[in-house]
Amino acid sequence: MLSALLAMGAIAITLGAVLGFAAIRFRVEGNPLVDKIDAVLPQTQCGQCGYPGCKPYATAIAEGTADINLCPPGGEEGIHKLADLLGTEFKPFGGSTVPKPKSVALIDESTCIGCTLCIQACPVDAIVGAAKQMHTVIAAECTGCELCVPPCPVDCISMEPIADTTGNWKWQYPVYAIMPSQTAP
Amino acid sequence: MRKLHTFHGGVHPATCKTQSNGSPIAKAKLPSKLVIPLRQHVGHSARTTVEVGERVRKGQIIGQADGHVSSAVHASTSGTISAIGMQPVAHPSGLPEPCITLIPDGLDEWMELEPCEDWKAVPHSELRHRLRNAGVVGLGGAVFPSDMKLYAHKHKIKTLVLNGAECEPYITCDDLLMRERAEEVLKGAELMRELLYADEVLIGIEDNKPEAIAAMRDAAGKHSGMEVIAVPTIYPGGGAKQLIRVLTGIEVAAGVRSTDLGVQCFNVGTAYSAWRAIRFGEPLISRIVTVTGNVESPQNFEALIGMPIAELIAQAGNLPGTTGLIMGGPMMGVLLPSDKAGVVKATNCIIAASDALFPPPRPVLPCIRCTRCADACPAELQPQDLYWFARAKNFTKAEEYHLFDCIECGACSYVCPSNIPLVQYYRFAKSEIWAQQAGQKAADAARERHEFRESRLERDKREKAEKLAAKEKAAARSEPAPVSDKPDTKPQDEIARKIQAAIDQAKAQAAEVKPKNTEQLTPQQMAEIAEIEARRARIREIAQASTDAQPRE
Amino acid sequence: MLFSPYITKPDSVSKIMLQVLFALIPGIAIYVWFYGPAILVSLLLASLTALSTEALMLKLRERPIAPFLKDNSALLTAWLLALSIPPLAPWWLIVVGTMFAIAIAKHLYGGLGSNPFNPAMIGYAVLIISFPSQMTHWLAPGGLGSAGLDFQSQLNYIFRGALPDGLTLDGVTMATPLDTLKTQLHMNGQMKSILEMPIYGRLAGVGSEWVSLGFLLGGIYLYARRIIGWHIPAIFLITLFAISGVFHLMDPARYAGPLFQWFSGASMLGAFFILTDPITSPTTPKGRMIFAFGAAILTFLIRVYGGFPDGVAFATLLMNICVPLIDAWTQPAVFGRKDER
Ligand code: SF4
Ligand code: SF4
Ligand code: SF4
Ligand code: SF4
């Protein structure tokens, strides 16, 4: 009895030591978790999650101070990805956070006074223009974060939903009721 | 006899070809208008070169090839451009695409063509250029610009496979083309062989088309190194990969270029159009279309590109009970969103569907893992597993199980006793994965731009602070200030400046270009350089192709 | 009709299952010939129970009832189960077994296509574990046993548990050849003398050997119609033959020969009808061979060393567990990627 206990104890101690050593020896520098989380976030940089950008939100998730269902641009799919990554349960969006259709900003070029305020607001440098010149949005670079909308003094920026084209159209998930079909086209 | 190979799987649906292959190709009557999409090919949409109200002549370019992979679009007859805008096209989404509407004036007046008697004297790059401007694309359904495919290094391609298999039920346009215009098809093949420096031409025709085989054999006697081979009738034996496998034994996996394995494959219709384009200067403005199914007299028409499909069907005779129009065959065709869409270069067949021909689908049951689908899959996939993963939206796993090797032939759905629309699940999964990849790319780009901006702001701030500090210091020095031993700058600033200096130095070093030793190259390096040179030449060629066309604008 | 392909082969689950049922008929006919019509009663009981349980479960799971009832899969489960248990058993035995097979083994695991275990074999396993004594009362084939039973008395026994006056259960039933072999060997009987007992016919038992032949015939029909592939039956039978042959050669006094193994018990039924159940067997050709190989070895081991007379059912269930693993390991190379692995 005693010898068994001793043996068990010895094993436990050895294994513990090995694990402890491994933890120190193979410690990874930096915080790869933050980067991993950041990699699944949509990088819209909109701040709708309540953090100043995607990276800060990623940091907050990694620290455990933020929930995974706060990023509307990521959609439910984003939450699924985060849940997968962190090994937690999926959580639907709560309350006021609802994903919107993907949009891009559009500057009404006849109204724009060239104040450069929107340029300063855009987190991804998607607006080009110079002082007192008309500004315009590079649609391909715009993430649709809407951060440029409020600063504009003449309200010339609107968000245009991205239209369906044959280029970005997706096949739908097949829905088939397991029923004798009465609906022929 | 040549030893033929086989491929895994395949199915034998009723061929339904005799309805439409009994009568010769008829010329479709001039329609009331033409709706010509600007993108009828794989790649970039063509750029319009005409304006509304402009009069164009038959064969005139109305859309210029734009970008690397693109092709020109032409006026199919003479007339006036009445509109340029979004119109329904043959796309499963039913979404519109930019089209040019042309009202024919009935004169059918050609522009001046540039025939070419002695094409062998014309440099290859020029021939390719002409094909591109003639809008020649693959007519078998893939509509890939042919000039892109007709480029090869010497002695790289051994075999040119000409695809006359036409394995899909109902379609007979290639059959009739080969019966009636075998000589020109083979002259086109000769042209392609020349461009590819290929040794042999193998023409594969399914053995349910004896007349076409005979006609082609007859014509092939006049050429050397051309062989017409009857291949077994099996769907999808006319898929490029499958036909290459049957004729040569080579398996071209998804994502692999067949030219890397020494084979190139073209449809017989493409060969014909290429020949017309080079020899007579005629651009691709018409094609042979099988009109069959629920119509009075199923037959083949030579129809102008852009001809509204409703008018084409009317010429074959409308019948009551038509529930929809399928463009292509019953295995891979697209249900047309509207009969107002025009005939495009990919339109090989229009089937008027009726409930009698295509009964409504039976109820879908769960998969019973019977593997009839796997037994039928020509890509040797496990469709039942792919279905499972696609249904569970487990895309990683689906990709791991080679989802992208699926050619969407539909053989699996055809045999499934549970009537599961398998292909639809694969299409869904594929487009979902593409969208995800695009989203990821956009996110990565946004992250990069954001980080760059952050660092730029950081740098600006630092530079400003430094400038300010320097100014203050200068001011402090010039002013006879009370003597103070302590330096004005804080130690942190000092360190920051030193770091900056170090960074600048490193940058300067990195910027210094160290040329590689350009002498004493190994043969391998030389070969690489040669290849790069060849690629440059090709790029120049394409650039020239697009600039050449500019003046017409 | 919205997306291609717009045509389908006129094949359906229901037709496939019907073919399998059809292929069972020769075996059943021979069964009736040798053992009397009692088996028909259990087939009928099983079918009725299966269909009603299926309907009930579909209703509970809020699935459409008609298309699933028409798929004939419940009937097949019922028939296979009925053929694996003694025909002269109290009526509730087959009813309980079938209900368990359909309700628990099939529907609680997700219904058609989702059950990891062969429902009929689960039903059998439950019965043999819960009611071992009832499961050994096999009817003696015609001409053997002390007295025959007419149909009337068979029905009487099944539904009322009453035998005609002066008859005992032991008088009309007997253990199966496999069972007898095991008991006799246990009692240090000699293989030679055991096999000379009247119950062992030419190959593996009067009656049962012919029934097995009937199933073999049905199996060949299924293969000819391409309802099943050759991998599972061929590898199963070859392996069983080989392993029993080797053991038999080593010690003929203790191990019965390969033909005995083939034609006794549920070997044929298992090889062609049970192991080949598509839902619970692997999908890759290689996987199927591994599956059948494992099942054959396990069958042999259970028959020779195990506590149960026949091993097909447990071998099937054990191999069913391995199916996902086997499938994952034996993914075949795809077109054009033959040399990538
Ligand atoms: S809500 Fe906006 S800022 Fe926050 S993680 Fe999502 S995209 Fe990034
Ligand atoms: S342009 Fe406006 S909406 Fe688009 S990324 Fe910049 S700030 Fe956001
Ligand atoms: S054919 Fe249909 S039922 Fe059979 S395995 Fe394939 S998907 Fe499943
Ligand atoms: S559609 Fe794809 S999975 Fe189905 S048979 Fe064709 S290649 Fe195989």
Side-chain angles (χ1 to χ4, degrees):
Chain A
M1 180 68 195
L2 189 67
S3 62
L5 278 181
L6 281 178
M8 294 287 274
I11 291 173
I13 289 168
T14 339
L15 287 182
V18 169
L19 282 180
F21 173 74
I24 296 163
R25 175 73 179 70
F26 299 109
R27 162 105 132 268
V28 193
E29 287 306 323
N31 194 344
L33 186 58
V34 173
D35 286 338
K36 273 192 200 150
I37 298 174
D38 194 40
V40 274
L41 292 176
Q43 304 302 322
T44 309
Q45 316 293 0
C46 60
Q48 289 179 61
C49 49
Y51 294 84
C54 298
K55 191 98 179 222
Y57 178 42
T59 317
I61 295 178
E63 282 165 358
T65 53
D67 239 336
I68 58 170
N69 62 347
L70 300 177
C71 168
E76 300 226 328
E77 215 176 285
I79 307 181
H80 274 297
K81 276 192 203 153
L82 285 174
D84 271 357
L85 178 67
L86 303 168
T88 53
E89 282 295 305
F90 169 80
K91 228 184 225 172
F93 284 114
S96 54
T97 30
V98 252
K100 287 187 211 157
K102 232 175 124 43
S103 317
V104 290
L106 185 74
I107 296 181
D108 177 358
E109 290 166 0
S110 55
T111 325
C112 173
I113 51 169
C115 66
T116 77
L117 287 176
C118 57
I119 296 195
Q120 290 163 34
C122 179
V124 293
D125 289 343
I127 303 179
V128 286
K132 309 234 174 82
Q133 304 278 314
M134 175 198 82
H135 288 37
T136 192
V137 176
I138 313 169
E141 311 287 2
C142 170
T143 63
C145 70
E146 304 186 6
L147 291 182
C148 53
V149 178
C152 179
V154 289
D155 279 342
C156 72
I157 305 180
S158 57
M159 299 303 296
E160 297 292 321
I162 297 176
D164 264 351
T165 66
T166 49
N168 66 11
W169 172 79
K170 288 195 291 184
W171 285 92
Q172 289 305 298
Y173 187 76
V175 198
Y176 282 88
I178 301 181
M179 283 284 228
S181 77
Q182 293 105 14
T183 48
Chain B
M1 256 319 264
R2 171 177 293 269
K3 186 188 167 298
L4 292 185
H5 301 259
T6 53
F7 60 89
H8 178 88
V11 292
H12 296 275
T15 54
C16 301
K17 287 183 190 269
T18 45
Q19 289 92 321
S20 56
N21 68 6
S23 46
I25 301 171
K27 217 166 164 63
K29 286 186 220 100
L30 200 63
S32 60
K33 67 167 183 177
L34 294 165
V35 181
I36 306 170
L38 280 166
R39 191 167 64 146
Q40 305 181 30
H41 47 264
V42 171
H44 287 278
S45 186
R47 186 161 33 84
T48 41
T49 56
V50 287
E51 268 154 32
V52 175
E54 194 174 328
R55 179 167 192 278
V56 290
R57 282 186 296 164
K58 182 173 184 168
Q60 186 180 331
I61 290 191
I62 53 175
Q64 182 60 53
D66 190 14
H68 190 50
V69 183
S70 185
S71 195
V73 175
H74 304 76
S76 312
T77 184
S78 59
T80 320
I81 307 291
S82 74
I84 300 175
M86 303 300 258
Q87 300 248 19
V89 292
H91 190 273
S93 65
L95 290 168
E97 280 215 343
C99 297
I100 296 180
T101 312
L102 171 65
I103 306 291
D105 56 12
L107 301 173
D108 214 23
E109 176 196 346
W110 276 99
M111 61 165 200
E112 313 81 62
L113 299 178
E114 290 173 44
C116 171
E117 196 78 55
D118 183 19
W119 58 268
K120 285 203 172 153
V122 182
H124 285 185
S125 57
E126 172 62 21
L127 287 176
R128 277 193 286 273
H129 180 199
R130 287 186 194 175
L131 287 175
R132 183 174 156 99
N133 273 343
V136 177
V137 298
L139 296 183
V143 284
F144 194 82
S146 297
D147 58 307
M148 306 281 304
K149 276 175 77 184
L150 282 167
Y151 174 76
H153 290 287
K154 257 185 195 156
H155 309 305
K156 252 193 98 183
I157 293 187
K158 187 171 161 277
T159 312
L160 164 64
V161 168
L162 215 54
N163 189 344
E166 201 161 59
C167 61
E168 271 234 38
Y170 287 93
I171 309 178
T172 56
C173 61
D174 290 348
D175 185 3
L176 268 286
L177 176 82
M178 290 187 291
R179 286 191 207 182
E180 296 187 8
R181 305 177 191 174
E183 286 205 9
E184 285 179 289
V185 170
L186 291 184
K187 281 181 183 154
E190 194 66 60
L191 168 78
M192 290 172 157
R193 163 156 69 181
E194 185 70 27
L195 282 170
L196 291 169
Y197 305 103
D199 301 333
E200 50 171 4
V201 180
L202 302 182
I203 302 142
I205 306 173
E206 281 195 346
D207 53 16
N208 60 357
K209 299 183 239 320
E211 294 95 340
I213 295 175
M216 291 288 277
R217 286 226 165 108
D218 236 24
K222 298 185 197 113
H223 300 261
S224 67
M226 280 200 191
E227 195 180 337
V228 177
I229 300 160
V231 298
T233 302
I234 182 169
Y235 179 85
K241 290 173 197 292
Q242 279 66 41
L243 189 65
I244 290 175
R245 161 83 192 155
V246 168
L247 294 179
T248 67
I250 295 170
E251 290 188 5
V252 184
V256 175
R257 271 177 306 183
S258 67
T259 46
D260 291 344
L261 302 172
V263 211
Q264 184 62 290
C265 179
F266 282 97
N267 175 267
V268 284
T270 319
Y272 173 78
S273 308
W275 172 250
R276 300 292 301 186
I278 295 299
R279 174 62 188 81
F280 303 103
E282 282 174 19
L284 181 46
I285 52 164
S286 69
R287 70 154 297 150
I288 299 170
V289 183
T290 309
V291 180
T292 182
N294 191 36
V295 290
E296 241 165 58
S297 49
Q299 56 179 310
N300 282 278
F301 287 102
E302 171 132 26
L304 294 180
I305 302 295
M307 174 160 185
I309 282 161
E311 295 192 31
L312 190 59
I313 293 277
Q315 293 193 18
N318 278 313
L319 278 185
T322 298
T323 51
L325 297 174
I326 299 168
M327 182 181 115
M331 296 297 284
M332 291 181 81
V334 182
L335 198 68
L336 288 172
S338 150
D339 61 2
K340 294 188 183 58
V343 167
V344 287
K345 293 173 185 175
T347 312
N348 46 7
C349 180
I350 302 286
I351 307 175
S354 67
D355 279 347
L357 293 172
F358 302 100
R362 287 168 296 158
V364 176
L365 287 179
C367 168
I368 56 164
R369 290 164 50 89
C370 67
T371 67
R372 275 164 178 64
C373 49
D375 294 341
C377 177
E380 294 169 69
L381 303 170
Q382 298 286 309
Q384 75 281 358
D385 290 336
L386 289 177
Y387 158 65
W388 188 256
F389 296 135
R391 201 173 71 126
K393 302 188 185 165
N394 188 346
F395 300 130
T396 334
K397 218 53 191 158
E399 268 193 273
E400 211 176 283
Y401 276 61
H402 302 288
L403 173 66
F404 284 99
D405 283 64
C406 166
I407 56 170
E408 298 181 22
C409 68
C412 50
S413 306
Y414 174 75
V415 295
C416 178
S418 290
N419 304 308
I420 303 171
L422 296 164
V423 189
Q424 226 176 307
Y425 280 95
Y426 309 149
R427 290 185 187 125
F428 156 75
K430 283 182 185 175
S431 71
E432 240 4 84
I433 293 172
W434 281 322
Q436 271 183 20
Q437 282 169 351
Q440 193 59 48
K441 233 169 136 188
D444 288 345
R447 181 183 304 111
E448 215 168 85
R449 289 177 77 84
H450 180 60
E451 274 164 12
F452 175 74
R453 178 187 154 91
E454 299 277 88
S455 71
R456 192 193 67 217
L457 292 181
E458 190 66 21
R459 196 189 57 212
D460 286 357
K461 217 157 94 193
R462 199 179 50 228
E463 277 170 4
K464 236 184 232 157
E466 267 165 24
K467 256 190 215 144
L468 199 69
K471 234 192 230 157
E472 272 173 10
K473 212 166 115 190
R477 224 181 268 132
S478 61
E479 219 173 85
V483 184
S484 150
D485 279 348
K486 274 184 198 162
D488 204 316
T489 45
K490 295 180 200 102
Q492 286 102 309
D493 280 355
E494 201 67 56
I495 292 166
R497 225 193 333 268
K498 271 187 191 152
I499 290 173
Q500 189 55 40
I503 290 172
D504 286 347
Q505 202 185 339
K507 268 193 196 143
Q509 265 171 11
E512 231 175 82
V513 187
K514 288 176 213 129
K516 268 199 194 148
N517 196 353
T518 43
E519 287 126 57
Q520 293 160 352
L521 292 170
T522 64
Q524 198 201 341
Q525 280 168 325
M526 283 202 285
E528 275 167 17
I529 291 174
E531 180 151 355
I532 292 166
E533 282 300 339
R535 227 180 293 146
R536 280 200 190 121
R538 170 126 183 81
I539 291 167
R540 258 177 250 132
E541 197 180 291
I542 288 166
Q544 187 207 346
S546 42
T547 46
D548 271 7
Q550 298 288 28
R552 286 221 185 89
E553 257 190 65
Chain C
M1 197 197 82
L2 276 173
F3 302 106
S4 63
Y6 307 98
I7 46 176
T8 53
K9 209 173 171 185
D11 203 353
S12 67
V13 177
S14 145
K15 276 188 201 150
I16 292 176
M17 297 288 173
L18 204 63
Q19 298 268 352
V20 182
L21 291 176
F22 182 69
L24 281 170
I25 287 177
I28 295 174
I30 299 172
Y31 209 122
V32 174
W33 173 264
F34 278 100
Y35 299 91
I39 184 69
L40 297 180
V41 179
S42 19
L43 282 173
L44 190 70
L45 273 176
S47 306
L48 291 178
T49 319
L51 289 179
S52 41
T53 316
E54 176 101 348
L56 181 73
M57 288 311 288
L58 287 169
K59 186 142 185 85
L60 289 180
R61 291 176 58 218
E62 297 176 354
R63 295 297 144 97
I65 294 175
F68 277 110
L69 270 195
K70 277 192 269 173
D71 72 22
N72 293 331
S73 64
L75 271 188
L76 182 59
T77 301
W79 284 28
L80 289 177
L81 181 59
L83 288 172
S84 334
I85 70 170
L88 197 68
W91 62 271
W92 51 262
L93 192 70
I94 183 75
V95 169
V96 168
T98 315
M99 273 167 64
F100 196 90
I102 300 286
I104 312 280
K106 183 175 177 187
H107 279 285
L108 286 196
Y109 280 99
L112 180 70
S114 304
N115 46 302
F117 298 107
N118 190 316
M121 291 305 102
I122 291 273
Y124 173 85
V126 165
L127 291 183
I128 202 159
I129 291 166
S130 321
F131 313 104
S133 75
Q134 279 88 344
M135 289 288 283
T136 51
H137 294 151
W138 291 84
L139 268 176
L144 291 177
S146 48
L149 270 187
D150 57 20
F151 187 42
Q152 183 64 40
S153 358
Q154 287 183 345
L155 280 182
N156 254 339
Y157 178 74
I158 293 174
F159 289 105
R160 294 211 225 110
L163 282 169
D165 289 342
L167 276 183
T168 59
L169 201 54
D170 287 345
V172 292
T173 65
M174 59 198 304
T176 60
L178 267 177
D179 216 355
T180 320
L181 180 71
K182 196 169 236 172
T183 342
Q184 294 288 334
L185 280 176
H186 214 63
M187 297 185 321
N188 290 326
Q190 283 302 303
M191 177 63 75
K192 210 157 165 270
S193 56
I194 300 173
L195 289 185
E196 274 163 9
M197 291 164 68
I199 182 179
Y200 297 98
R202 283 190 192 81
L203 290 171
V206 176
S208 65
E209 64 193 19
W210 288 103
V211 175
S212 284
L213 265 176
F215 290 141
L216 174 63
L217 199 71
I220 291 172
Y221 168 78
L222 286 184
Y223 173 67
R225 299 298 307 265
R226 293 293 181 280
I227 303 283
I228 58 172
W230 59 270
H231 301 89
I232 292 181
I235 297 293
F236 178 81
L237 290 178
I238 291 171
T239 312
L240 190 61
F241 193 95
I243 186 170
S244 54
V246 168
F247 274 74
H248 181 67
L249 284 182
M250 281 184 338
D251 189 355
R254 288 201 48 218
Y255 301 102
L259 281 180
F260 176 82
Q261 297 288 1
W262 267 22
F263 287 98
S264 62
S267 302
M268 287 296 163
L269 190 67
F272 290 100
F273 293 90
I274 295 171
L275 286 165
T276 51
D277 168 28
I279 298 166
T280 55
S281 62
T283 50
T284 63
K286 238 192 261 163
R288 286 182 176 156
M289 296 206 254
I290 296 174
F291 175 79
F293 178 81
I297 303 273
L298 285 173
T299 301
F300 180 77
L301 291 180
I302 296 172
R303 279 185 180 177
V304 174
Y305 301 107
F308 294 100
D310 199 352
V312 173
F314 289 100
T316 308
L317 293 176
L318 284 173
M319 290 314 288
N320 284 165
I321 304 178
C322 313
V323 165
L325 212 60
I326 296 178
D327 270 345
W329 276 351
T330 55
Q331 279 303 310
V334 312
F335 184 87
R337 302 190 192 280
K338 303 277 153 61
D339 38 47
E340 262 178 35
R341 37 184 66 220

